[in-house]
Amino acid sequence: VPRIKGFLEYILELRTLYSKENQGTKYIPIEDENYNHPDFVVPPVQRVWFDIPLLRYPAWQNIHVLPITFDSYLEEAIDFMKANSDIENLVGFYDFEIAKMERNLAFMQEQVNVDPEKLAIDRYNFANYFKEYDRRKGTDFIKTFPELAKFYQGLI
């Protein structure tokens, strides 16, 4: 979640690189000795798609586990997407992509409706899973996700 805006900036960069303007229209001749066919026209198309599905299970990996203050990252991402929503040249973000991000934000903000005991169990499972993962794989959660260090250290 803390890196979502950076991910969206990368998507925008790719969409700019492969924009309608940079693709152009291609005309492919059709070889046929018996008939003079018009060229096959390949118009520019969106080449960079992405999806941001909502992870619900396992419960200890969904966004309810994060502190509610992390919703500011999603709000910032939504603002960025809305500011870059011009899709005329196949560059900006589509309305359905923005709607998915808004859905994720709404789901995260429903955290107030989550049973506190269940949330505590999910956070406990989150911490134990990654602690064990680090032990087995020789990785370091905090080095990989320093922006989650304070949250993670508060769980273990």
Side-chain angles (χ1 to χ4, degrees):
V1 171
R3 296 182 188 173
I4 190 74
K5 185 177 174 211
F7 173 69
L8 295 172
E9 289 168 345
Y10 179 63
I11 293 294
L12 192 62
E13 183 181 315
L14 288 174
R15 285 186 172 175
T16 301
L17 181 63
Y18 297 104
S19 67
K20 187 182 212 178
E21 175 180 288
N22 290 338
Q23 289 180 50
T25 302
K26 294 181 182 163
Y27 299 92
I28 302 171
I30 300 173
E31 304 283 332
D32 187 346
E33 294 175 12
N34 301 319
Y35 184 75
N36 186 15
H37 294 279
D39 291 346
F40 181 73
V41 179
V42 181
V45 295
Q46 179 59 265
R47 295 183 183 268
V48 181
W49 291 101
F50 77 102
D51 195 12
I52 40 177
L54 188 58
L55 177 71
R56 293 180 187 260
Y57 301 101
W60 48 269
Q61 283 188 353
N62 81 37
I63 58 178
H64 279 164
V65 173
L66 294 172
I68 193 64
T69 56
F70 278 54
D71 69 347
S72 62
Y73 293 111
L74 294 180
E75 289 170 347
E76 184 181 4
I78 291 166
D79 291 343
F80 177 78
M81 293 174 84
K82 286 180 178 179
N84 294 284
S85 62
D86 180 16
I87 57 168
E88 183 65 33
N89 200 21
L90 303 175
V91 175
F93 295 98
Y94 293 85
D95 56 350
F96 64 88
E97 293 168 334
I98 296 169
K100 284 182 179 184
M101 187 67 78
E102 290 172 333
R103 175 209 58 201
N104 291 353
L105 174 62
F107 182 77
M108 184 178 198
Q109 291 174 333
E110 288 175 5
Q111 186 177 35
V112 294
N113 298 326
V114 175
D115 177 23
E117 287 180 29
K118 180 175 179 351
L119 181 60
I121 291 168
D122 290 341
R123 286 180 172 167
Y124 173 83
N125 289 336
F126 176 91
N128 280 334
Y129 175 84
F130 287 106
K131 188 167 110 182
E132 183 63 19
Y133 188 90
D134 284 348
R135 186 187 69 76
R136 290 184 186 189
K137 301 289 185 176
T139 56
D140 188 332
F141 183 87
I142 294 172
K143 282 185 182 174
T144 305
F145 303 106
E147 61 278 1
L148 295 174
K150 185 176 177 183
F151 166 70
Y152 182 69
Q153 289 169 332
L155 300 177
I156 54 175

